[in-house]
Amino acid sequence: MTKKFQSVKGFYDVLPEKQKLFRFFEDAALDLLDQYGYHEIGLPIVEPTELFVDSVGSFTDIVEKEMYSWEDHLNNDRLTLRPEGTAGCVRAVIQNNLTYNGSAKLFYRGAMFRHENVQKGRQRQFHQLGVETFGIPSPAADAEQITFLDRLWKKLKLKKISLVINSIGDIEDRKAYRVKLIEYFEKNFDQLDEDARRRYKDNPMRILDSKNKDMQALLNNAPNLSDFLSQDAKDHFNELQKLLLQNNVNFSVNHRLVRGLDYYNRTVFEWTTNDLGSQGTIAGGGRYDYLVESLGGNSTYACGFAIGIERIVLLLEENTQLTTFSPEVYIVNNGVGAQAFALEVAEKLRDEAFSVSVNLEGTSFKSQFKKADKSDAKICLIIGEEEVKNGIIQIKLIRENGAQTSSDVSELIHNVKKFLS
């Protein structure tokens, strides 16, 4: 018996109806990115494993539990399917010296891979649109990215989406905070879950992001990072808030928001919705001023974000009615030489920018006329053996009065335009 293969768990086919929503999102996003002056960069889906260990953080869930990594025995390389895009983009900026002439505003899109528990809005191959700005220290860069997202949601007509922001300060700020946080968790060690007990000394800030309901009271009473921020970090965050208010971007401040990656500093933010259950974060990012230098580049200010495209598509499914593609012209054909003639005619029409569907099934005229009607095309071209022999094509209005006329091939473009006007 022949095997019947299934897709790998967590890896999904995107069927045509859903792919339309992917294209709808990308068209809207790409138009806006052009308006804002961001430039697309293409990045490989495979990178050295150490790139993610050194950037994302060795004590993060991504590196500890979720990466698809292996050793390439042909070259003795340790490789990983990219679990996120920022690290690869930073590597590309350094390798290609993209900030040599000043700042750079980049974006990328494509598949990411994490070995996660599969559920609605969370799968093992997923797609992101990432945006990164390099070389600008001002909170205006952060504000521009957040304002871009606010405009994108409005363009997509998505509602009930909320913005949460926070500042996690700089390295020295977090060092001082880390000491106090570890002391606090040690005093309350019996209230920590197994995951928190394992990581409280290595990555105590990540515990603040825990969704364990039994720990929420403990976390609410933890020391507040905002009390440890330097004046520069406070000024940066205050200016960001001022810029967002000036641009009518609504937000709330959550001092427990830290994001899940080690490279962030100062600004962190998330856009969330209540319409996707537990997977409510649809976009998130922040500032990472130390990452470029830590990966071998020059000291470079940077900030960025990523959008989870599958989660946006889930929202679009509930909120967006897309029009189905309808050709302007549908060509039915039957008989000796008819199909070849139909293909030739279709190409002439496409040269004039008409959208054309040719029936290639070789069925009866009656069956093809039914499909022409269902296609919602405006006119139908009829090609049989007589039409091929005489170089004449029948043009029939499918809608309205069903008028029909004959056209010489040399006059076809003119007559089709006349019928469609």
Side-chain angles (χ1 to χ4, degrees), residues 229-270:
L229 299 185
S230 68
Q231 191 59 50
D232 283 348
K234 289 179 181 178
D235 291 345
H236 186 280
F237 192 49
N238 289 335
E239 180 64 17
L240 171 63
Q241 294 177 72
K242 180 181 176 181
L243 291 168
L244 294 179
L245 290 171
Q246 287 176 341
N247 285 282
N248 301 310
V249 178
N250 296 320
F251 63 89
S252 61
V253 176
N254 178 1
H255 292 301
R256 281 176 50 191
L257 178 65
V258 295
R259 300 287 294 155
L261 309 178
D262 282 359
Y263 51 64
Y264 286 116
N265 72 296
R266 296 201 177 185
T267 305
V268 289
F269 64 87
E270 289 183 349

Side-chain angles (χ1 to χ4, degrees), residues 116-166:
E116 300 195 88
N117 293 325
V118 178
Q119 53 187 288
K120 181 180 179 181
R122 185 183 289 272
Q123 52 202 65
R124 293 174 179 175
Q125 177 179 313
F126 57 99
H127 296 79
Q128 287 186 342
L129 172 68
V131 174
E132 319 284 357
T133 299
F134 297 92
I136 301 177
S138 167
D142 315 45
E144 181 182 75
Q145 292 183 355
I146 294 172
T147 304
F148 164 86
L149 287 167
D150 185 66
R151 184 177 293 275
L152 178 60
W153 309 145
K154 291 173 181 174
K155 187 171 185 176
L156 295 172
K157 295 182 170 56
L158 297 179
K159 300 177 181 179
K160 296 188 291 184
I161 296 174
S162 302
L163 170 63
V164 179
I165 65 174
N166 190 26

Side-chain angles (χ1 to χ4, degrees), residues 121 216 326 355 384:
Q216 295 310 302
S326 299
S355 57

